[in-house]
Amino acid sequence: MFSDYLPYYRRNLKVAFPVMLTQVGASLVGMFDSMMVGHYATTDLAAVSFSNAIFFMVMVFAMGALMGITPLVGYEVGKSQTDTSGNDTSRAISSLLQNGVTFTVLLCVVMVLVLSAVIPFLSYFGQDPEVIAAARPYYILIVISIVPFLFFCLQKQFLEGLGNTTAAMFITFFMNGLNVLLNWILIFGHCGFSPMGATGAGIATLISRLLMPLCFTAVIFFRKQWRVYLRLFSRQAASWKQVVRLLKVGAPIGGQTLLETFTFTVSFIFIGWLSKEALAAHQVANQIADLTFMLAQGIGAATTIRVSHQLGKGDLLAVRMASNASIHLCLLMNTIGAVFMISLRHQIPMLFTQDAAVIDIASKLILCAGLFQYADGMQTVGAAMLRGITDVKRPMIYAFVAYILIALPVGIVCMFPLKMGAPGMWIGFIFGLSVAAVLFHFRFRKQLQRLPNRLTENQRNTNGAPTEH
């Protein structure tokens, strides 16, 4: 059994490892902001926490919507390996990129308008006035940063569909180093600058995100095998039908990620009602949980790529084996993450703050975060498996049930009527994510039985594209 899966472990890890590093790198930007701002002032840490909670609720929808391009490109790549229509495949892939740019422009406009509309109402969320005062300039800066960041996401998802996951890794880590350096300069006031606290962190994030898509564009342009997709751009390839196709696949993915993030965002608001120390502690625990979540997302991204490639080839056995291999790898990562969090739950908060009250609450929340690693990892990989076969509509419904109807109500009841405080919300997370994991995996197993019929249906499709469900 192990020998059968060994080639799949290797292939999945080869794709997953750079994605995991990229995802961890992206998470580290927020974590370094929190760590460095936390050592500047607890109020500024709470401000960064509050701002990011609102910002990421919107941004993850846009990021999720752009994920739709990966399985569509991946399907075309897999298909090209079983037929001789190489030029037609290149044009199909180029069309996805060209219309993906149009889709991203529209997405940026909508996201900026939505996020900007919140600015006048920041003081209505029931947070400490000092937190709101520090949060407003930081929030405005990260809203501006969403435009270059989404173009980076488009380029990243496109290359992941082609099977390349290393370019984004190098760019992300280089920009993270720049972000940390700028944080040190602007937050604490070095090299002739005055200390800016949370505002300095916002400026550092904006500068690094502006450079990310520029670096990616240079990489694509100077790589011959990728430059061909830019050269095939044409007026004839511009198609609102293709943009709508990207929307049909991407919007449910974005909706699913939005629901999950909404659950966590609301939790920040509720926990903020307890105290600013509880809110800061929640941010600390959330940052640590994000690291292991990004590892699971890396495996999930590799799963989407590998499954979509095998589906394009029509190799259903490989679809099953690749998905099972990802489950095994994720369980291993979950175990390592849980042991790390539980054993170091008292030491980890000290990296973020010296406030004794924050450290005490955060240690309890990190314990809870360690306990929900398996549910979080399994639901992440389960959703990625479904994305690989472009089954995206039903998972969004499952996400609504698990996150909104189960996780939040259970968390609220544990927090307030049962008087468990902030740890009560994390208990709700455990319940909700466990339900999501079961539903996603059950759905994938059911869809595996239908794939032969889907492949026959796709062959009748004029463009050979996988149908969306």
Side-chain angles (χ1 to χ4, degrees):
M1 179 67 71
F2 178 78
S3 60
D4 293 337
Y5 276 105
L6 189 57
Y8 292 91
Y9 294 147
R10 289 173 178 167
R11 292 170 195 152
N12 284 18
L13 280 175
K14 184 178 179 181
V15 177
F17 188 67
V19 181
M20 289 181 343
L21 291 180
T22 302
Q23 299 285 48
V24 170
S27 178
L28 285 175
V29 173
M31 189 180 80
F32 283 134
D33 281 354
S34 297
M35 289 174 63
M36 299 177 84
V37 170
H39 283 285
Y40 178 81
T42 298
T43 297
D44 286 62
L45 174 59
V48 169
S49 169
F50 171 68
S51 299
N52 281 329
I54 298 173
F55 174 76
F56 281 112
M57 182 175 65
V58 176
M59 190 180 78
V60 295
F61 170 81
M63 292 173 63
L66 292 173
M67 287 181 186
I69 196 171
T70 299
L72 295 176
V73 171
Y75 180 86
E76 295 294 340
V77 170
K79 182 184 171 185
S80 70
Q81 298 172 4
T82 59
D83 59 33
T84 59
S85 58
N87 189 55
D88 289 342
T89 299
S90 294
R91 291 188 181 279
I93 294 173
S94 175
S95 175
L96 285 168
L97 177 58
Q98 179 177 340
N99 291 286
V101 171
T102 302
F103 180 58
T104 305
V105 170
L106 297 175
L107 202 58
C108 287
V109 171
V110 174
M111 295 303 103
V112 169
L113 289 176
V114 170
L115 288 167
S116 298
V118 177
I119 295 174
F121 302 99
L122 289 175
S123 59
Y124 289 84
F125 285 88
Q127 306 302 302
D128 190 301
E130 292 183 359
V131 172
I132 296 300
R136 183 170 282 106
Y138 176 83
Y139 179 80
I140 292 172
L141 288 164
I142 60 175
V143 168
I144 297 171
S145 76
I146 196 173
V147 175
F149 185 72
L150 289 183
F151 277 96
F152 168 79
C153 290
L154 168 68
Q155 295 162 323
K156 172 180 173 293
Q157 298 301 148
F158 175 74
L159 287 191
E160 285 185 3
L162 295 178
N164 180 281
T165 55
T166 57
M169 177 187 70
F170 287 116
I171 293 172
T172 300
F173 271 88
F174 178 78
M175 291 306 162
N176 281 350
L178 176 63
N179 182 263
V180 172
L181 174 62
L182 292 175
N183 273 346
W184 177 76
I185 294 172
L186 300 176
I187 292 174
F188 300 104
H190 294 288
C191 300
F193 287 87
S194 300
M196 300 184 191
T199 300
I203 295 173
T205 299
L206 174 59
I207 293 173
S208 62
R209 285 179 176 169
L210 282 169
L211 294 175
M212 291 173 80
L214 296 178
C215 291
F216 226 140
T217 301
V219 169
I220 294 175
F221 183 79
F222 288 108
R223 195 78 175 265
K224 183 178 179 180
Q225 62 265 45
W226 298 338
R227 189 166 65 241
V228 64
Y229 301 120
L230 298 178
R231 288 180 173 175
L232 289 172
F233 276 22
S234 66
R235 192 172 294 178
Q236 292 76 18
S239 167
W240 284 111
K241 182 178 180 181
Q242 189 80 295
V243 174
V244 171
R245 180 185 173 206
L246 290 169
L247 177 64
K248 285 183 177 180
V249 177
I253 299 174
Q256 180 185 329
T257 56
L258 173 62
L259 289 169
E260 182 175 3
T261 306
F262 175 79
T263 302
F264 281 86
T265 298
V266 171
S267 74
F268 275 92
I269 295 173
F270 287 140
I271 290 175
W273 292 350
L274 297 174
S275 67
K276 68 179 181 181
E277 288 78 14
L279 180 59
H282 186 50
Q283 172 69 359
V284 170
N286 195 60
Q287 288 290 343
I288 296 302
D290 269 350
L291 287 178
T292 53
F293 174 69
M294 292 304 172
L295 294 177
Q297 271 204 326
I299 295 176
T303 306
T304 299
I305 295 167
R306 296 275 295 125
V307 168
S308 63
H309 284 187
Q310 303 310 317
L311 182 63
K313 294 178 183 178
D315 190 343
L316 300 185
L317 175 61
V319 169
R320 184 185 299 272
M321 295 291 284
S323 59
N324 286 342
S326 289
I327 293 173
H328 303 160
L329 292 171
C330 190
L331 287 172
L332 176 62
M333 293 290 183
N334 294 151
T335 300
I336 295 172
V339 171
F340 169 76
M341 290 185 191
I342 293 172
S343 61
L344 297 176
R345 63 187 183 276
H346 297 295
Q347 289 75 31
I348 291 172
M350 296 179 186
L351 297 173
F352 294 83
T353 182
Q354 297 175 345
D355 190 315
V358 174
I359 292 173
D360 179 61
I361 300 171
S363 64
K364 298 173 184 176
L365 299 185
I366 292 173
L367 173 63
C368 295
L371 296 176
F372 93 139
Q373 287 301 294
Y374 293 102
D376 193 26
M378 286 297 95
Q379 66 97 21
T380 300
V381 170
M385 287 155 46
L386 290 169
R387 285 196 292 272
I389 59 174
T390 60
D391 184 18
V392 294
K393 294 180 181 177
R394 185 66 64 84
M396 183 175 66
I397 298 173
Y398 292 163
F400 178 80
V401 172
Y403 306 145
I404 306 302
L405 300 185
I406 296 178
L408 275 181
V410 171
I412 292 170
V413 169
C414 290
M415 276 184 66
F416 297 113
L418 297 183
K419 298 182 179 179
M420 297 175 66
M425 183 57 70
W426 285 78
I427 292 175
F429 294 160
I430 295 173
F431 274 92
L433 271 60
S434 296
V435 170
V438 171
L439 292 175
F440 291 159
H441 284 269
F442 179 80
R443 172 72 176 179
F444 183 75
R445 298 303 166 187
K446 187 175 180 180
Q447 289 300 89
L448 277 179
Q449 301 172 4
R450 299 177 178 177
L451 280 181
N453 292 333
R454 280 191 58 190
L455 289 174
T456 301
E457 178 184 347
N458 293 338
Q459 290 172 357
R460 299 194 193 103
N461 194 308
T462 57
N463 59 12
T467 54
E468 295 85 40
H469 293 261

